Amino acid sequence: MEPVYFATSESINIALVGGGDFAAEVLERTDLSSGREEIKAKIKAVVDPKENAPGKLKARNQGLLVFSDYRSLFQPEHSIGLIIVLDPDPSLFEEIRLAKPSHIHVLAYHTFKLFWDSLHYQVELLQQRKLEIETILDGIQESILVIDSEMRIVEANKAFRDSMGYTREEVINHKCYQVLQDRNYKCDWNMKCPVDEVQSSKQAVQRVVPRINRDGSVVYIEVSLYPIVGADGSVSRLVEISRDVTRLAGENEEINRRLEELLEERTRELQKRNIEIRHQDKMASLGKLSAAVVHEINNPLSGILNLLLLIKRITREGPVDEKSMADFTRYVEMMEQETRRISGITTNLLAFSRESQGEFGQLDLNKLLEEVLLLNSNMLRLSEVKVHKDLAEDLPLIVADEGQLKQVFMNLITNAVEAMESSQNKVLSLSTEYGERTVRVRVSDTGSGIPENRQSQLFEPFFSTKNRSRGVGLGLSVVYGIVQSHCGTIHVDSKEGEGARFTVTLPPVQPNASYI
């Protein structure tokens, strides 16, 4: 299992009381005992009366402080801010709690164990999802690379490795110019770097570039690079889809002579002379879909992060009571649901070529909306958005796919918050109502509104009212498709400068739906 990284906004020194196997595992699997500056929460000491306790031995090997009596931690020169009890004996926790100075917080064994087990469960699920995505990428015939903002290759599918003659270890975490150009410095002015161009323009780039494969020979590659823009507006990742066009260049002597010039002209004449390059649109769509899948995964990941931060804040405030423990259980269940939703989102890559059926069951729309608001509570608070709820009492249960409807309202709420960025009065309104044959959900905002001449295109794929750095325009088309698959409708009412209201109408029971 990969190490788990922790960071806090304030520096804090941590001590572990109980140096058994659990302590050794914590020291092994976290980065809290390292000297990295960005890790502000650090394990400084381990306490155990047994000198040969596994955790105490590992702490000594890592250069940490070791003690036999927990009272040594109270000395001011150690600057301990948090004691984590890794011994399940409740009397030890109570003894420390009564003896500690007021500025030192203490975390009980069972509380930390619950947090530790749930965190590692989520990590294992995410690693499984990563393996599934790698398997999907390896099944694609086109060569695919994922490059980070520092020009490191973080993913390379089998088609790329086979075509260039490299192993995975020779590619991953190496600079792109080291692998693709066999050099230890960035590309110079003789060959304009397409990665630099995408990072500066935040737009897709397509061109033919020379590369050096494993045996040292030069090959000519047609590349299409697509940016993945992070929350701060910068390009965090680039998806490159490429294929070898050396054979095509060799068939035409004139093209061979002009390849260097065509690098600057972005291969316009090469594309005119070679009618075989006809799957360009397919590659463009695949690149945009890959970027959209990453964007869609960020929603449930943000929800999981919000819940983990909430658990962390509560545990740092002092001993955890029974109500908080019950809340923790509910939060862990919600994190499990959101992790499973990530799994569902990754199947959208397969849905690019075939349809997949949802899992329908009975659900409470009011409860679903409350969970979506909870998962977005941190975003709403940071954006200073007030939430007004008008949820109908005794709302009947409906038959629907819970994960897909969460995706619908996640998109609508996120779009509403982004639409209110420049508004003085930011109010998000959610309401539900029902009739004899329908249930309605309305999501309203006080944002900038949508021009009338653009409303008819709102649900079309790749159409967006945002700038390119904020998305590729797949969100509302996905929403529209999900609502349609539930035999429902979605309608927008908006005037420019007066906000927007989206109304989702759903039937209580799906035609021919079978559920448990």
Side-chain angles (χ1 to χ4, degrees):
M1 179 180 294
E2 296 180 359
V4 180
Y5 301 105
F6 296 86
T8 63
S9 58
E10 299 179 357
S11 178
I12 182 171
N13 290 327
I14 301 172
L16 306 180
V17 175
D21 292 333
F22 193 11
E25 179 184 351
V26 172
L27 293 174
E28 177 71 26
R29 294 188 176 182
T30 71
D31 208 34
L32 296 179
S33 58
S34 74
R36 293 173 54 185
E37 293 183 359
E38 66 270 24
I39 307 297
K40 296 185 178 181
K42 293 181 173 61
I43 296 176
K44 189 173 182 178
V46 174
V47 177
D48 198 284
K50 298 178 181 178
E51 288 301 317
N52 61 346
K56 196 170 184 179
L57 293 175
K58 181 169 281 293
R60 187 177 285 110
N61 290 336
Q62 292 182 354
L64 305 180
L65 298 175
V66 293
F67 302 107
S68 298
D69 189 340
Y70 67 81
R71 294 176 182 82
S72 301
L73 302 174
F74 302 160
Q75 300 300 320
E77 62 267 22
H78 301 319
S79 301
I80 300 299
L82 174 64
I83 296 175
I84 300 176
V85 179
L86 299 186
D87 189 319
D89 182 3
S91 63
L92 177 60
F93 168 77
E94 189 64 19
E95 182 182 338
I96 295 174
R97 186 181 71 82
L98 295 175
K100 71 176 182 65
S102 60
H103 69 278
I104 297 179
H105 300 277
V106 59
L107 188 62
Y109 168 84
H110 295 289
T111 301
F112 181 77
K113 189 68 164 59
L114 173 65
F115 171 72
W116 180 261
D117 290 344
S118 64
L119 176 61
H120 279 282
Y121 176 68
Q122 306 303 325
V123 170
E124 289 172 0
L125 287 179
L126 290 176
Q127 288 175 340
Q128 182 180 349
R129 298 291 85 79
K130 179 182 177 183
L131 179 60
E132 292 173 358
I133 292 176
E134 289 176 357
T135 302
I136 292 172
L137 291 178
D138 283 344
I140 298 175
Q141 294 184 353
E142 287 86 358
S143 296
I144 296 179
L145 287 180
V146 180
I147 304 171
D148 68 12
S149 59
E150 297 182 355
M151 294 189 172
R152 279 193 299 264
I153 298 175
V154 297
E155 190 54 67
N157 73 342
K158 186 175 185 298
F160 172 84
R161 301 195 302 270
D162 290 347
S163 65
M164 297 295 288
Y166 288 107
T167 65
R168 183 176 179 83
E169 291 72 21
E170 292 172 324
V171 175
I172 302 301
N173 290 327
H174 289 77
K175 299 285 189 177
C176 60
Y177 47 80
Q178 292 175 326
V179 176
L180 305 177
Q181 301 297 331
D182 192 25
R183 60 175 70 179
N184 289 318
Y185 54 89
K186 287 180 60 176
C187 302
D188 53 27
W189 62 271
N190 287 319
M191 188 184 75
K192 187 176 182 181
C193 177
V195 174
D196 277 343
E197 189 172 347
V198 173
Q199 288 181 330
S200 60
S201 68
K202 299 178 183 177
Q203 297 182 7
V205 167
Q206 295 175 320
R207 64 170 57 171
V208 171
V209 296
R211 288 179 175 172
I212 301 175
N213 61 19
R214 179 65 181 271
D215 62 14
S217 60
V218 177
V219 293
Y220 291 93
I221 306 296
E222 179 196 47
V223 300
S224 300
L225 282 90
Y226 302 91
I228 299 175
V229 181
D232 60 354
S234 63
V235 176
S236 59
R237 292 284 192 275
L238 297 94
V239 178
E240 177 194 287
I241 304 174
S242 63
R243 70 164 184 164
D244 191 337
V245 295
T246 304
R247 181 181 60 83
L248 299 179
E251 291 177 352
N252 191 314
E253 184 178 356
E254 181 180 357
I255 294 177
N256 237 359
R257 292 196 305 267
R258 298 183 58 198
L259 270 175
E260 186 172 339
E261 177 185 350
L262 294 177
L263 291 175
E264 297 297 326
E265 297 177 358
R266 301 189 180 187
T267 73
R268 286 194 297 267
E269 292 184 22
L270 178 61
Q271 292 173 352
K272 292 178 183 179
R273 293 175 179 271
N274 293 274
I275 61 174
E276 297 178 39
I277 309 176
R278 293 181 177 176
H279 65 293
Q280 177 181 353
D281 287 342
K282 175 186 174 183
M283 290 195 299
S285 297
L286 183 58
K288 291 176 180 178
L289 182 58
S290 299
V293 166
V294 173
H295 175 74
E296 293 295 337
I297 286 177
N298 278 336
N299 284 335
L301 283 180
S302 296
I304 292 173
L305 178 60
N306 286 338
L307 291 172
L308 289 175
L309 291 175
L310 181 57
I311 292 174
K312 187 175 182 180
R313 191 196 72 191
I314 293 173
T315 55
R316 290 182 62 185
E317 290 176 351
V320 179
D321 55 22
E322 291 184 2
K323 180 180 180 301
S324 296
M325 289 297 293
D327 289 340
F328 286 1
T329 300
R330 183 164 61 92
Y331 297 159
V332 170
E333 290 174 353
M334 293 178 67
M335 286 189 286
E336 179 183 0
Q337 293 174 5
E338 291 309 300
T339 304
R340 294 186 186 279
R341 191 157 73 87
I342 292 174
S343 175
I345 291 172
T346 58
T347 61
N348 285 340
L349 282 174
L350 294 176
F352 186 67
S353 59
R354 60 179 175 84
E355 284 190 47
S356 60
Q357 299 298 323
E359 296 182 3
F360 285 79
Q362 286 189 322
L363 63 88
D364 184 342
L365 261 181
N366 284 346
K367 180 180 177 182
L368 183 143
L369 291 172
E370 292 284 4
E371 291 178 357
V372 172
L373 284 175
L374 178 61
L375 292 171
N376 284 282
S377 58
N378 194 47
M379 176 187 70
L380 293 167
R381 179 178 59 81
L382 293 176
S383 301
E384 300 180 339
V385 174
K386 298 178 181 178
V387 178
H388 178 265
K389 294 181 292 185
D390 184 17
L391 306 182
E393 296 181 359
D394 300 324
L395 191 72
L397 299 178
I398 69 169
V399 176
D401 184 311
E402 182 178 0
Q404 290 187 359
L405 286 192
K406 275 191 177 180
Q407 190 173 348
V408 166
F409 296 114
M410 274 283 201
N411 268 289
L412 294 180
I413 289 174
T414 301
N415 287 347
V417 172
E418 292 178 353
M420 294 186 287
E421 283 184 345
S422 58
S423 299
Q424 296 295 325
N425 183 31
K426 301 179 181 180
V427 179
L428 172 70
S429 299
L430 289 178
S431 66
T432 56
E433 62 182 31
Y434 63 95
E436 292 183 2
R437 299 182 179 179
T438 59
V439 175
R440 289 188 179 88
V441 180
R442 290 189 172 92
V443 181
S444 307
D445 64 70
T446 56
S448 56
I450 305 167
E452 186 175 353
N453 62 348
R454 308 185 82 177
Q455 293 180 20
S456 62
Q457 301 172 276
L458 206 56
F459 301 104
E460 295 179 4
F462 306 121
F463 175 82
S464 177
T465 59
K466 309 172 188 176
N467 60 49
R468 294 187 178 216
S469 67
R470 301 300 298 271
V472 296
L474 282 174
L476 285 178
S477 67
V478 171
V479 167
Y480 180 83
I482 292 174
V483 173
Q484 287 282 306
S485 71
H486 282 71
C487 301
T489 61
I490 182 168
H491 177 71
V492 60
D493 294 302
S494 178
K495 290 185 179 180
E496 193 168 4
E498 297 182 12
R501 181 179 68 187
F502 287 81
T503 302
V504 177
T505 304
L506 298 168
V509 178
Q510 295 293 314
N512 301 322
S514 62
Y515 59 96
I516 297 176

